[in-house]
């Protein structure tokens, strides 16, 4: 349903599953396992797997915390998009990578639910993409000390409100890993 003409393809986005981002996140291992399953299925189906990697004053490029978790291995042929803002589209190459692959539908996975995942989902919809959140393939750290709900509540609430998200000619939605089709 994307509003982008001539963009029939789907891509899997893997956002910020970096050591310093997911350490201590609830269901870390299950989320990473689900992302690994999705990446393997996407590769088998010929669907692009696009990796997004954040850097800022807390995630210094090249540091151990900046690196992707060792359980997830990007292939050399898979695009890596560097970013400095929560929305994976802001001042990055993501749009040109998606254009090159004729992608109009995104399956979104990664971290952190309440920051980069939400920003990228909204950024995608605003830019004309269909954006589906994989409900059991995203997580966040505990921000309760800042007044946020528990991570489990943040994840559940994001899944709830994104389940029915849509805009004219664009569709949001959620899906579990087991139900993803490429």
């Amino acid at each position: 349903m994307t509003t982008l003409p001539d963009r029939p393809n789907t891509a899997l986005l893997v956002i910020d599953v970096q050591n310093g981002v997911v350490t201590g996140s609830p269901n870390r291992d299950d989320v990473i396992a689900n992302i690994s399953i999705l990446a393997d299925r996407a590769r088998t189906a010929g669907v692009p797997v696009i990796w997004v990697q954040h850097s800022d004053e807390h995630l210094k490029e090249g540091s151990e915390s900046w690196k992707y978790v060792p359980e997830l291995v990007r292939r050399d042929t898979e695009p890596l998009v560097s970013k400095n803002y929560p929305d994976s589209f802001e001042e990055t190459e993501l749009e040109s990578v998606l254009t090159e692959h004729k992608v109009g539908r995104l399956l979104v996975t990664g971290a952190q639910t309440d920051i980069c995942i939400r920003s990228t989902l909204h950024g995608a919809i605003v830019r004309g993409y269909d954006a589906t959140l994989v409900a059991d393939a995203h997580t966040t750290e505990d921000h309760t000390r800042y007044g946020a709900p528990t991570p489990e509540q943040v994840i559940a609430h994001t899944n709830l409100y994104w389940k029915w998200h849509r805009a004219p000619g664009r569709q949001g939605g959620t899906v579990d890993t087991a139900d993803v089709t490429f």
Side-chain angles (χ1 to χ4, degrees):
M1 244 172 72
T2 177
T3 61
L4 302 169
D6 302 319
R7 299 276 196 101
N9 298 330
T10 297
L12 176 67
L13 280 186
V14 182
I15 301 171
D16 301 348
V17 189
Q18 297 162 252
N19 292 318
V21 177
V22 298
T23 299
S25 295
N27 301 320
R28 175 204 180 275
D29 294 342
D30 292 339
V31 166
I32 291 170
N34 286 340
I35 293 170
S36 182
I37 288 167
L38 290 165
D40 288 343
R41 288 175 43 205
R43 291 167 179 147
T44 298
V47 169
V49 179
I50 300 169
W51 303 78
V52 178
Q53 189 171 26
H54 191 84
S55 59
D56 61 22
E57 65 276 4
H58 304 291
L59 288 170
K60 299 280 186 211
E61 191 169 329
S63 69
E64 194 59 34
S65 64
W66 171 82
K67 293 178 183 174
Y68 251 78
V69 297
E71 300 95 325
L72 295 176
V73 179
R74 181 182 69 87
R75 293 185 178 170
D76 291 340
T77 57
E78 295 170 340
L80 175 62
V81 175
S82 298
K83 72 176 181 68
N84 303 110
Y85 298 99
D87 182 347
S88 298
F89 289 92
E90 286 297 329
E91 294 188 13
T92 71
E93 299 174 349
L94 182 56
E95 177 60 35
S96 62
V97 168
L98 297 173
T99 299
E100 176 184 335
H101 293 281
K102 296 185 177 187
V103 170
R105 176 181 178 239
L106 302 174
L107 289 169
V108 178
T109 68
Q112 291 194 39
T113 302
D114 44 353
I115 304 169
C116 298
I117 297 298
R118 285 184 182 180
S119 295
T120 300
L121 286 167
H122 288 285
I125 289 284
V126 166
R127 289 171 176 88
Y129 292 89
D130 290 335
T132 302
L133 176 62
V134 184
D136 56 358
H138 66 97
T139 190
T140 192
E141 68 181 324
D142 188 339
H143 290 123
T144 56
R145 66 187 173 276
Y146 304 113
T150 67
E152 294 82 3
Q153 290 171 321
V154 169
I155 292 164
H157 180 255
T158 301
N159 287 340
L160 174 67
Y161 89 82
W162 200 256
K163 183 176 185 173
W164 294 290
H165 194 85
R166 61 189 175 95
R170 291 153 286 161
Q171 189 66 46
T174 60
V175 64
D176 290 331
T177 296
D179 299 324
V180 169
T181 57
F182 290 106

